């Protein structure tokens, strides 16, 4: 392929497609009242934040006395707080805290203080009288709280604190001895002038004073009007040719080869939707799915977040806040606009054509069986007796591109803050499948051991205790506590018998039991007239006792000894009960762990499914998303600004105002430029939400574990300031680290991490930035949601420029501030501007610009003969200057690019040629020299 130097043979080729392109530039000089009010409002909010910061810098001075129950007993001191320059914290050291108490404020700092403050004797005293007692007191309290458990951890914490104190003491002594006073200052004082800056900000009255002391920004940042230059990009089909070889095939005599051409220029996203009819729906989607240059340019314009948004998507404007023009001369601004559009269009089409060129791939294979495929097949037969060689060469296209100036508009610009707040966000409805908790049966508890009883046979004999007590005469008497009860008058002293018996021994036949405190003994008298009382029990060993009894009542009825059965009730030992409890707790713990694992597994599976489904949600139609955004901007502009100050007693009269505004402004062509999120980072800081799964109501969170160094734990107990806080207990719906895989950085302080799976689609723009993302939105919607503001640009209808300026100058809209300032421009430009005063004002320059724009529009409606420099009238066509290219077709431009020249409106000012591949491959027979290997 050779460079095209003569374009005359392509003359009169009509364009097959076109794309409108615009360059917007704000005009500086006029100070917008609305924008000034917006800045003032933001400045007042800044001052309010400054006052809050200053307030937080004051430390209260009070003391509360608590009683032994921890309740407020009295308030012993309440004084005015102070705003002394903050010193650094104690950094977890009693030594640092002790030295900090005697440090003066930063404004009275003198490095000689260290000679007096730091010496070995004081440091040693602090270590012995503060550090050691505090650490010992903490250690005793920690051991009591932990019931002698985890002693190693307590010892380690105490050793760590002692190590810190000793190291800090040696370090400050070293700094003092080596006279490193600046290092000591940095160690004990917070550096910087943050406090002074906050106080300084309160002294400003004008919001631009602290941002722009030289008054350079106000002229550009406050302008309410701008100018847009529109251009049309035309695409012409020039020629086709065979490009470089993409493959080689040889055929032996009498053979045939089938070539299969597979075009993989498109990125395919296959979605399968199964119905009862087993219908398969395939959707192909890609940013560069069109092999047509003009269509790819349109798609690229749609996806560029730096462009102005318009619901019709038939034109694209480049934002020009960075290219604000101090000149109100239209020729100068149009020249700049042509340079910008030339640079952007060339880069854009070159980029897209390169992408398309790289997007083709050819695959050649020999097919030995018939298959049903949509690929293109080429059959080559060699009917000759010689070996044939074929080169497979790609068919290429030459597309010519020209750019024409098609008009100029004056525009009104304003701002809408946080526009995305009024837009609703989609929520994915997804019912997670719960865990199969029924598969793991609950454990059967081991029953707690019950009391057991053993029997012991006891013989109670008749043992006289007096001389005249005889078994044959007195065994039928009733005795109470060893004394005869029924006495005859002539018997004298009462008869006595033995009523205390001991030495009985009982043994439990089951291990793990004891008599203990809860054991007891009952007696079975077997019908005998006897009543016993337990006298003394001595447990020799667990499960073995000795006891004695007292005979409270007995009548032997001439039978001795009497047989009594003692029933001893034994209780399970504490060790046996604890072992059973531990076994049951272990079973419950294992069951709970299995249940927890099932819930975690179910949550991870649900989260994976949700991540996959979220990533595959298709974005809504481009036009619908842009229309919603335009409506949000309209709400703020039309209701809050355009109708402000207008008498509208009834909503039924609003149509009058709408008709009035529509006659001045082309509201349907309003565009908005989305401010990049980095101007106000993390306005809507968001994270990926994974939802959760339903859990049993009995599940309770584990209690929090106290943490921190010894110093921190001691100081938390000694805090005297009353702080009231409400702890928010949020459900931890994140995936455990053991269930994630990273390449590092996951455990760093990265608050904007997000989850993916091996099946999920790539995350959307802003996922790594903590953006608020709409699941069914595109990149532009997400940029809109996170934008701190948008700049709305409303074109003024051609011919209504003066009326628009008059309406904007109303007091409730933009005002007239700055319009009477002197307009600074070159003398030749000032000479063209009509004015009534001694000097040309900005108002005069704007009025003149209105007239020039209106005149240019009037020219666009006039019919002429084009091309104007064509000698042969038969080759000229009648058309308006805007439509001349459509009527005449391609007309070569000498030089390739030209900027604005006086009086040359609506001209074609730029052209170039792009080479694009097609999906067609042509076999070309070739021959090679067998000796040199070169093609003949």
């Amino acid at each position: 392929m050779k460079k095209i130097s003569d374009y005359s043979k392509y003359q009169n080729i009509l364009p097959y497609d076109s794309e409108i392109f615009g360059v917007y530039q704000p005009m500086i000089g006029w100070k917008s009242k609305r924008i000034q009010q917006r800045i003032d409002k933001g400045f007042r909010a800044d001052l309010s934040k400054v006052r809050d910061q200053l307030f937080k810098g004051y430390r209260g001075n009070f003391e509360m006395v608590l009683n032994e129950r921890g309740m407020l007993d009295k308030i012993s001191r309440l004084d005015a707080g102070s705003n002394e320059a903050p010193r650094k914290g104690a950094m977890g050291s009693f030594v640092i805290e002790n030295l900090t108490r005697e440090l003066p404020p930063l404004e009275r700092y003198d490095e000689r203080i260290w000679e007096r403050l730091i010496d070995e004797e004081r440091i040693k005293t602090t270590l012995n009288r503060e550090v050691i007692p505090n650490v010992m007191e903490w250690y005793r309290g920690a051991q009591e709280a932990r019931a002698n458990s985890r002693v190693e951890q307590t010892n380690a914490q105490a050793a760590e604190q002692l190590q810190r104190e000793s190291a800090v003491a040696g370090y400050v002594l070293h700094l003092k001895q080596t006279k490193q006073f600046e290092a000591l200052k940095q160690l004990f004082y917070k550096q910087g002038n943050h406090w002074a800056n906050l106080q300084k900000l309160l002294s400003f009255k004008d919001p631009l004073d602290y941002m722009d002391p030289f008054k350079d920004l106000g002229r550009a940042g406050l302008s309410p009007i701008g100018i847009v230059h529109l251009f049309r990009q035309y695409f012409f089909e020039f020629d086709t040719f065979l490009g470089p070889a993409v493959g080689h095939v040889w055929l032996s005599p009498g053979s045939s080869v089938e070539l299969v051409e597979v075009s993989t220029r498109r990125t395919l996203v296959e979605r399968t939707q199964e119905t009862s009819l087993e219908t398969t729906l395939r959707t192909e989607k890609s940013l560069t799915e069109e092999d047509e240059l003009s269509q790819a340019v349109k798609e690229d314009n749609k996806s560029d977040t730096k462009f102005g948004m318009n619901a019709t998507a038939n034109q694209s404007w480049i934002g020009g806040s960075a290219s604000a023009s101090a000149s109100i001369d239209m020729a100068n601004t149009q020249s700049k606009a042509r340079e910008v559009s030339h640079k952007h269009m060339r880069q854009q089409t070159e980029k897209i054509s390169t992408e398309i060129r790289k997007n083709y791939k050819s695959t050649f294979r020999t097919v030995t069986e018939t298959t049903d495929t949509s690929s293109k097949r080429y059959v080559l037969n060699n009917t000759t007796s010689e070996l044939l060689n074929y080169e497979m060469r790609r068919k290429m296209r030459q597309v010519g591109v020209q750019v024409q100036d098609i008009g100029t508009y004056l525009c009104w610009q304003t701002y809408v803050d946080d526009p995305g707040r009024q837009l609703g966000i989609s929520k994915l409805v997804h019912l997670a499948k719960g865990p199969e908790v029924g598969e793991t049966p609950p454990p059967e508890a081991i029953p707690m051991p019950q009391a057991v009883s053993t029997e012991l046979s006891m013989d109670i004999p008749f043992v006289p205790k007096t001389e005249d007590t005889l078994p044959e005469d007195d065994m039928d008497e009733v005795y109470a506590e060893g004394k005869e009860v029924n006495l005859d008058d002539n018997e004298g002293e009462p008869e006595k018998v033995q009523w205390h018996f001991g030495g009985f021994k009982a043994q439990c036949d089951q291990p793990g039991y004891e008599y203990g405190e809860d054991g007891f003994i009952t007696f079975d008298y077997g019908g005998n007239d006897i009543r016993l009382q337990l006298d003394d029990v001595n447990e020799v060993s667990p499960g073995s006792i000795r006891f004695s009894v007292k005979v409270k009542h007995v009548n032997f009825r001439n039978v001795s000894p009497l047989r009594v059965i003692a029933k001893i009730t034994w209780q399970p030992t504490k060790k046996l009960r604890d072992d059973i409890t531990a076994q049951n707790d272990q079973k419950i713990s294992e069951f709970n762990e299995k249940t927890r694992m099932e819930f975690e597994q179910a949550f991870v599976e649900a989260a994976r499914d949700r991540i996959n489904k979220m990533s595959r949600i298709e974005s809504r139609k481009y036009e619908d998303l842009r229309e919603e955004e335009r409506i949000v901007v309209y709400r703020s502009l039309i209701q809050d600004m355009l109708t402000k100050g207008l008498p509208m007693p009834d909503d039924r009269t609003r149509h009058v105002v709408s008709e009035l505004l529509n006659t001045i402004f082309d509201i349907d062509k309003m565009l908005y430029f989305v401010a990049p999120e980095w101007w106000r980072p993390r306005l809507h800081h968001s994270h990926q939400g994974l939802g959760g799964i339903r859990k049993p109501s009995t599940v309770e969170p584990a209690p929090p574990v106290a943490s921190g160094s010894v110093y921190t734990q001691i100081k938390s107990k000694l805090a005297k300031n009353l702080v009231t806080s409400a702890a928010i207990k949020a459900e931890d719906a994140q995936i455990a680290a053991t269930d994630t895989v990273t390449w590092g950085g996951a455990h760093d302080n990265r608050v904007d991490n997000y989850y993916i799976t091996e099946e999920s689609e790539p995350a959307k723009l802003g996922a790594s930035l903590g953006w608020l993302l709409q699941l069914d939105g595109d990149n532009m919607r997400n940029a809109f949601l996170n934008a701190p503001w948008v700049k709305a640009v409303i074109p003024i209808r051609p011919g209504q420029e003066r009326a628009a300026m008059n309406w904007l100058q109303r007091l409730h809209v933009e005002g007239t501030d700055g319009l009477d300032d002197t307009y600074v421009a070159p003398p030749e430009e000032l000479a063209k501007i009509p004015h009534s005063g001694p000097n040309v004002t900005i108002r005069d320059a704007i009025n003149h610009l209105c007239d020039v724009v209106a005149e240019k529009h009037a020219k666009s409606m006039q019919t002429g003969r084009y091309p104007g420099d064509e000698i042969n009238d038969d080759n000229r066509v009648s058309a308006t200057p805007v439509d001349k290219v459509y009527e005449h077709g391609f007309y070569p431009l000498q030089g390739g690019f030209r900027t604005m020249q006086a009086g040359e409106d609506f001209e074609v000012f730029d052209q170039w040629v792009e080479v694009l591949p097609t999906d067609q491959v042509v076999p070309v027979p070739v021959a090679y020299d067998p000796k040199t290997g070169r093609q003949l």
Side-chain angles (χ1 to χ4, degrees):
M1 182 184 69
K2 296 182 179 180
K3 177 182 177 182
I4 300 177
S5 57
D6 182 12
Y7 291 91
S8 59
K9 61 180 179 179
Y10 304 118
Q11 189 170 332
N12 298 116
I13 295 179
L14 296 179
Y16 66 84
D17 205 349
S18 65
E19 172 81 352
I20 292 180
F21 195 84
V23 178
Y24 174 75
Q25 294 173 289
M27 312 294 291
I28 66 178
W30 185 358
K31 297 180 181 179
S32 167
K33 180 180 179 181
R34 291 197 71 261
I35 299 178
Q36 181 66 52
Q37 291 174 348
R38 174 176 175 267
I39 296 178
D40 291 341
K41 183 178 179 180
F43 182 62
R44 290 193 297 270
D46 290 341
L47 292 183
S48 176
K49 294 179 181 178
V50 169
R51 287 190 289 267
D52 291 342
Q53 290 292 329
L54 288 174
F55 176 75
K56 293 177 181 178
Y58 280 79
R59 176 175 292 277
N61 187 5
F62 66 94
E63 184 175 357
M64 299 169 54
V65 178
L66 307 179
N67 56 25
E68 62 277 0
R69 294 180 300 170
M71 307 294 291
L72 178 63
D73 185 51
K74 67 176 181 178
I75 301 175
S76 59
R77 185 180 77 254
L78 179 60
D79 298 325
S82 61
N83 64 340
E84 293 184 355
R87 306 187 188 110
K88 286 190 176 180
M91 295 177 291
S93 169
F94 293 100
V95 174
I96 296 293
E97 181 188 32
N98 179 275
L99 297 175
T100 304
R101 296 192 194 111
E102 299 186 21
L103 284 176
L106 184 60
E107 57 268 19
R108 297 201 303 267
Y109 169 77
D110 187 348
E111 65 180 21
R112 291 175 294 181
I113 187 67
W114 306 115
E115 294 289 347
R116 177 186 62 83
L117 188 63
I118 300 177
D119 60 75
E120 292 189 18
E121 187 63 29
R122 173 172 183 158
I123 296 297
K124 188 173 182 179
T125 301
T126 302
L127 292 174
N128 292 329
R129 296 185 180 180
E130 287 194 31
V131 176
I132 294 178
N134 278 316
V135 173
M136 288 301 300
E137 181 180 358
W138 169 86
Y139 187 86
R140 287 190 292 268
Q143 285 300 99
E144 293 176 0
R146 296 175 181 177
N148 296 326
S149 62
R150 304 176 71 180
V151 178
E152 296 82 1
Q153 181 179 356
T154 308
N155 293 341
Q157 285 186 287
E160 180 183 0
Q161 187 65 39
L162 295 176
Q163 160 68 21
R164 178 191 299 271
E165 300 293 347
S166 178
V168 167
Y171 180 59
V172 296
L173 284 173
H174 169 74
L175 293 179
K176 183 247 184 177
Q177 293 169 358
T178 56
K179 300 186 181 300
Q180 299 185 43
F181 300 135
E182 187 63 28
L184 285 170
K185 181 181 178 182
Q186 294 177 0
L187 180 64
F188 284 88
Y189 287 96
K190 290 183 179 179
Q191 301 298 311
N193 56 351
H194 176 67
W195 185 265
N197 288 339
L198 290 178
Q199 293 176 322
K200 185 178 179 181
L201 285 176
L202 290 178
S203 64
F204 290 112
K205 306 300 182 185
D206 190 335
L208 293 180
D209 287 347
Y210 71 101
M211 294 187 299
D212 182 31
F214 298 103
K215 312 295 183 182
D216 292 332
L217 287 177
R219 299 171 62 234
L222 300 178
S223 174
I225 64 170
I227 189 170
V228 62
H229 297 283
L230 295 182
F231 309 98
R232 187 181 294 276
Q233 192 175 10
Y234 298 95
F235 301 92
F236 304 89
E237 189 72 43
F238 276 0
D239 203 351
T240 60
F241 63 94
L242 295 182
V246 296
H248 179 269
V249 178
W250 60 271
L251 284 83
S252 60
S255 66
S256 63
V257 174
E258 187 178 79
L259 305 181
V260 179
E261 167 69 10
V262 180
S263 175
T264 58
R265 66 184 182 279
R266 300 179 183 180
T267 301
L268 300 180
V269 178
E270 296 187 0
R271 303 181 189 274
T272 302
Q273 178 182 349
E274 295 185 0
T275 65
S276 59
L277 298 177
E278 298 184 356
T279 301
T280 301
L281 174 63
R282 291 173 180 257
T283 302
E284 298 179 358
K285 181 178 65 174
S286 171
L287 182 62
T288 58
E289 66 179 2
E290 299 291 342
D291 61 349
E292 174 51 55
L293 178 63
S294 61
Q295 187 64 28
V297 170
K298 295 177 187 290
E299 295 297 328
D300 190 64
N301 289 344
K302 283 187 177 182
S303 62
D304 193 339
T305 58
K306 298 181 179 63
F307 274 51
M309 299 300 107
N310 187 293
T312 59
N314 61 357
Q315 57 185 11
S316 304
W317 294 9
I318 295 178
S321 59
S323 59
S325 175
S327 173
I328 306 182
D329 181 64
M330 192 176 71
N332 293 336
T333 60
Q334 188 163 333
S335 176
K336 176 65 175 178
R338 290 189 177 188
E339 294 176 3
V340 172
S341 61
H342 164 74
K343 180 180 179 181
H344 184 86
M345 289 180 178
R346 283 300 298 266
Q347 292 176 346
Q348 182 187 43
T349 54
E350 289 174 3
K351 178 192 70 173
I352 294 175
S353 64
T354 302
E355 290 177 355
I356 294 176
R357 191 175 299 117
K358 291 180 179 180
N359 240 355
Y360 283 97
K361 177 182 178 182
S362 298
T363 303
F364 302 93
R365 58 177 176 169
T366 301
V367 179
T368 57
E369 62 182 15
T370 302
T371 57
D372 185 11
T373 178
S374 60
S375 301
K376 295 180 182 180
R377 286 178 169 80
Y378 307 92
V379 179
L380 301 179
N381 295 318
N382 184 6
T383 59
T384 68
S385 59
E386 297 180 357
L387 179 68
L388 294 182
N389 291 281
Y390 288 92
E391 276 189 350
M392 310 304 297
R393 302 180 66 178
R394 175 77 61 189
K395 187 177 180 180
M396 312 294 287
R397 296 171 56 208
Q398 281 184 329
V399 177
V401 183
Q402 280 191 337
V403 184
Q404 179 196 11
D405 168 26
I406 62 172
T408 301
Y409 284 86
L410 280 181
C411 300
W412 174 37
Q413 71 172 18
T414 187
Y415 295 87
V416 177
D417 293 315
D418 194 9
R421 184 173 293 276
Q422 301 184 44
L423 288 172
I425 304 300
S426 58
K427 296 181 179 180
L428 174 63
V429 179
H430 181 276
L431 181 61
K433 181 181 179 181
E436 301 293 340
V437 293
E439 294 183 356
T440 303
E444 295 184 2
I446 301 175
M448 294 299 295
Q450 303 298 321
V452 298
S453 297
T454 59
E455 295 183 354
L456 178 66
S457 297
M458 299 186 304
D459 290 333
I460 306 299
F462 180 83
V463 179
K465 286 295 184 180
T466 54
E467 293 181 356
D468 57 350
T469 302
L470 300 174
E472 57 273 15
D473 297 331
D474 299 320
M475 286 183 62
D476 60 349
E477 299 290 341
V478 177
Y479 295 91
E481 296 184 352
K483 293 182 180 180
E484 183 182 1
V485 176
N486 299 322
L487 299 176
D488 294 336
D489 295 337
N490 56 357
E491 285 187 0
E493 292 294 328
E495 304 290 342
K496 294 183 180 180
V497 295
Q498 181 179 346
W499 66 288
H500 186 277
F501 297 90
F504 299 107
K505 182 178 180 181
Q507 185 78 28
C508 182
D509 55 359
Q510 296 187 27
Y513 281 82
E514 63 182 357
Y515 185 81
E517 297 179 357
D518 297 328
F520 58 91
I521 300 176
T522 60
F523 301 101
D524 182 6
Y525 302 107
N528 296 317
D529 189 7
I530 184 172
R531 296 293 181 270
L532 303 180
Q533 179 183 1
L534 188 64
D535 182 25
D536 182 38
V537 178
N538 181 23
E539 188 165 12
V540 181
S541 61
S544 177
I545 61 173
R546 293 180 180 274
F547 65 94
S548 60
V549 296
K550 294 179 179 179
V551 181
K552 302 293 290 184
H553 168 85
V554 65
N555 186 345
F556 287 93
R557 300 187 186 280
N558 298 320
V559 178
S560 179
L562 295 178
R563 175 63 58 90
V564 178
I565 305 300
K567 296 183 177 180
I568 302 95
T569 300
W570 307 87
Q571 301 294 335
T573 62
K574 182 177 183 301
K575 182 179 183 301
L576 179 61
R577 294 195 304 270
D578 291 345
D579 290 343
I580 300 298
T581 301
Q583 295 179 36
N584 287 331
D585 291 343
Q586 178 66 23
K587 289 186 176 182
I588 294 175
S589 176
E590 292 175 356
F591 174 75
N592 291 339
E593 179 65 18
K594 291 180 180 178
T595 304
R596 185 187 65 82
M597 291 292 293
E598 290 175 353
F599 272 98
E600 286 187 359
Q601 182 179 359
F603 173 72
V604 172
E605 291 176 354
R608 285 177 50 85
D609 191 25
R610 288 167 178 166
I611 292 171
N612 294 335
K613 285 182 167 59
M614 283 192 300
S615 68
R616 296 169 185 168
I617 294 177
E618 186 176 357
S619 298
R620 294 168 54 193
K621 291 178 60 177
Y622 173 91
E623 292 77 11
D624 294 344
L625 294 174
R626 301 296 84 77
E627 182 63 25
E628 287 181 350
E629 293 162 6
R630 291 176 72 247
I631 290 175
V632 166
V633 177
Y634 277 154
R635 286 177 180 175
S636 299
L637 294 182
I638 302 299
Q639 302 302 324
D640 179 60
M641 180 183 56
L642 294 181
T643 59
K644 185 178 180 181
L646 297 179
M648 289 186 301
D650 194 282
D651 285 345
R652 289 172 291 184
T653 63
R654 287 178 178 262
H655 72 278
V656 179
V657 180
S658 65
E659 293 295 339
L660 172 64
L661 296 176
N662 268 314
T663 59
I664 300 176
F665 299 98
D666 196 348
I667 296 179
D668 290 336
K669 290 185 179 179
M670 183 203 74
L671 291 98
Y672 54 92
F673 297 91
V674 179
E677 182 263 355
W678 36 260
W679 285 117
R680 173 62 173 86
R682 304 180 186 276
L683 180 62
H684 299 290
H685 197 195
S686 304
H687 296 283
Q688 186 181 29
L690 301 179
I693 57 176
R694 290 178 173 83
K695 298 180 180 180
S697 58
T698 56
V699 176
E700 297 181 357
V705 180
S707 61
S709 65
V710 176
Y711 178 88
T712 304
Q713 296 181 41
I714 292 176
K715 289 302 175 183
S716 63
K717 296 180 181 179
L718 299 179
K720 296 181 179 180
N721 289 356
L722 180 62
V723 180
T724 306
S725 62
I728 301 177
K729 187 178 296 183
E731 181 183 1
D732 184 11
Q734 300 303 309
I735 299 177
T738 55
D739 297 323
T740 60
V741 178
T742 67
W743 205 280
H747 304 294
D748 297 342
N749 187 20
R750 299 176 185 271
V751 297
D752 297 323
N753 290 348
Y754 59 95
Y755 298 104
I756 62 173
T757 71
E758 73 278 6
E759 300 176 356
S760 61
E761 298 293 331
K764 294 184 178 181
L765 174 66
S768 300
L769 302 174
W771 277 16
L772 169 65
L773 301 180
Q774 183 171 327
L775 295 180
D776 57 350
D778 56 10
N779 287 343
M780 287 186 174
R781 167 55 62 88
N782 294 330
F784 187 89
L785 291 174
N786 295 273
W789 65 82
V790 297
K791 178 167 66 174
V793 177
I794 304 178
I796 299 172
R797 292 189 181 275
Q800 299 294 329
E801 290 82 8
R802 285 291 189 117
M805 293 302 110
N806 293 334
W807 186 84
L808 291 176
Q809 291 174 27
R810 297 180 60 171
L811 184 62
H812 72 276
V813 184
E814 299 295 357
T816 59
D817 189 13
L819 290 179
D820 295 327
D821 294 345
T822 300
Y823 176 56
V824 180
E828 57 273 13
E829 180 182 344
L830 295 176
K832 301 177 184 178
I833 301 176
H835 57 283
S836 58
N839 298 318
V840 178
T841 63
I842 293 179
R843 187 195 306 271
D844 297 330
I846 292 177
N847 289 335
H848 177 63
L849 178 62
C850 293
D851 297 337
V852 173
V853 172
E855 181 182 357
K856 181 177 180 180
H857 175 70
K859 291 180 181 179
S860 69
M861 307 300 293
Q862 298 175 1
T863 303
R865 299 285 291 174
Y866 300 99
D869 55 353
E870 177 62 44
I871 300 176
N872 186 359
D873 192 64
D874 293 337
N875 292 333
R876 302 172 72 184
V877 296
S878 295
T880 62
V882 177
D883 298 328
K884 62 183 181 181
V885 178
Y886 283 122
E887 299 295 334
H888 180 272
F890 181 79
Y891 193 79
L893 176 64
Q894 300 299 324
F897 173 73
R898 65 181 65 166
T899 58
M900 180 64 182
Q901 298 179 6
E904 297 183 4
D905 293 327
F906 309 108
E907 69 172 351
V908 176
F909 65 90
D910 199 3
Q911 76 178 21
W912 65 91
V913 177
E914 292 292 345
V915 176
L916 302 175
T918 68
D919 59 352
Q920 303 175 26
V921 177
V922 179
V924 179
V926 294
Y928 296 92
D929 189 328
K931 294 182 178 180
T932 63
R934 293 184 176 273
Q935 185 174 330
L936 299 177

